[in-house]
């Protein structure tokens, strides 16, 4: 069970969703405008925020930016359009995941659990830091450095890199990345992986044409490998 804040102005969506999420064991609070939602997010400190992008007083993306400036609370965006660029923009603005309307409470609940599972903390124990050549990936601090310099990644880029790092040297398929990193089934949306891979490459100072760490295996997937090994 989690404490959720649902920021959604449409009563026909909000009322049944609040009820369904409560039935699934969550404690759910709701706000109908961006400004009350922002206030509630800061005052009540929910475990996760579900944010509708189309709000009456302020664009949901604007609210996301304001929230991100002051809070690391996980955010799942609810968008009416299955628009790749829009989705990429909200993920880059700091959303942890998204659902496309119309979505079911079961879908949203699965996303909520997935986002909270990969959230900060995690099991204690041995240092899980992965070092590949000059690349250092610290899953606990969610920090990455390259040749000693910090690399700023979005949450999704980090998750993508972390997953590849968990399988160093192996080819990981796009299907697996979509399932494991995005928690969405394979089919048609494989550009999502390509788009995030290209951003990740840019931040690591490389390209698909001149790879150092991230090597595409055409038609199969991608693998993370040390430049000393991969050439
Ligand atoms: Ca709306």
């Amino acid at each position: 069970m989690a404490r959720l804040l649902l920021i959604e102005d449409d009563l026909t969506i909000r009322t049944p969703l609040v009820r369904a999420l409560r039935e699934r064991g969550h404690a759910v609070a709701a706000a109908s405008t961006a400004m009350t939602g922002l206030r509630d997010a800061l005052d009540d400190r929910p475990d996760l925020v579900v944010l509708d992008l189309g709000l009456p007083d302020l664009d949901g993306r604007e609210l996301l930016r304001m929230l991100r400036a002051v809070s690391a609370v996980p955010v799942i965006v609810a968008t009416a359009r299955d628009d790749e660029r829009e989705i990429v923009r909200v993920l880059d603005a700091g959303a942890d995941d998204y659902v496309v309307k119309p979505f079911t409470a079961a879908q949203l609940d699965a996303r909520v659990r997935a986002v909270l599972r990969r959230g900060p903390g995690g099991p204690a124990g041995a240092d899980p830091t992965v070092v590949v050549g000059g690349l250092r990936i610290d899953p606990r601090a969610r920090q990455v450095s390259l040749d000693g310099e910090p690399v700023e990644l979005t949450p999704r880029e980090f998750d993508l890199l972390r997953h590849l790092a968990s399988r160093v040297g192996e080819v990981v398929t796009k299907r697996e990345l979509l399932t494991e990193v995005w928690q969405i089934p394979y089919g048609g949306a494989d550009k999502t992986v390509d788009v995030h891979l290209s951003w990740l490459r840019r931040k690591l100072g490389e390209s698909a044409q001149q790879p150092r760490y991230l090597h595409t295996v055409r038609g199969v997937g991608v693998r993370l490998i040390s430049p000393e090994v991969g050439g």
Side-chain angles (χ1 to χ4, degrees):
M1 104 104 190
R3 293 171 57 246
L4 308 178
L5 172 63
L6 177 61
I7 308 176
E8 166 66 74
D9 60 312
D10 187 340
L11 267 178
T12 65
I13 294 175
R14 194 174 76 214
T15 306
L17 195 56
V18 167
R19 190 186 313 129
L21 289 169
R22 282 181 182 153
E23 280 168 7
R24 288 171 171 272
H26 299 297
V28 190
S32 57
T33 67
M35 293 324 286
T36 55
L38 181 62
R39 190 198 59 208
D40 291 352
L42 299 180
D43 288 352
D44 303 341
R45 307 180 66 82
D47 298 324
L48 185 144
V49 173
V50 179
L51 174 63
D52 171 35
L53 287 186
L55 292 167
D57 53 334
L58 195 66
D59 184 82
R61 258 186 307 164
E62 201 53 47
L63 174 58
L64 180 59
R65 268 190 283 274
M66 292 165 72
L67 186 59
R68 271 291 164 266
V70 289
S71 168
V73 63
V75 175
I76 295 178
V77 161
T79 167
R81 288 181 307 160
D82 186 6
D83 175 337
E84 180 87 15
R85 278 188 308 181
E86 175 68 19
I87 288 166
V88 161
R89 270 200 296 270
V90 297
L91 292 174
D92 222 27
D96 295 87
D97 207 344
Y98 67 94
V99 284
V100 176
K101 292 181 183 178
F103 57 86
T104 64
Q107 268 177 311
L108 179 60
D109 186 29
R111 299 294 177 91
V112 165
R113 285 183 282 115
V115 166
L116 291 177
R117 242 194 335 264
R118 68 168 192 253
D127 184 357
T129 298
V130 178
V131 177
V132 183
L135 192 58
R136 193 181 169 82
I137 301 146
D138 179 351
R140 284 206 288 232
R142 292 183 68 84
Q143 283 172 350
V144 172
S145 65
L146 178 61
D147 301 328
E149 295 291 321
V151 181
E152 293 291 328
L153 299 182
T154 65
R156 189 70 74 167
E157 288 162 0
F158 181 85
D159 291 338
L160 177 58
L161 183 60
R162 179 173 59 177
H163 190 79
L164 291 169
S166 73
R167 303 269 307 272
V168 170
E170 294 175 38
V171 180
V172 183
T173 64
K174 284 188 205 172
R175 179 192 295 266
E176 175 179 332
L177 291 170
L178 276 171
T179 312
E180 295 296 321
V181 179
W182 275 264
Q183 275 100 28
I184 56 176
Y186 186 73
D190 53 331
K191 277 208 194 85
T192 308
V193 175
D194 293 333
V195 167
H196 284 81
L197 266 178
S198 77
W199 288 341
L200 189 53
R201 284 196 164 106
R202 202 176 309 163
K203 289 185 179 176
L204 298 180
E206 61 179 70
S207 66
Q209 291 71 36
Q210 294 195 306
R212 292 181 66 225
Y213 288 92
L214 297 168
H215 293 253
T216 297
V217 181
R218 200 167 292 280
V220 185
V222 62
R223 70 174 168 171
L224 174 66
I225 197 165
S226 168
E228 294 99 73
V229 179

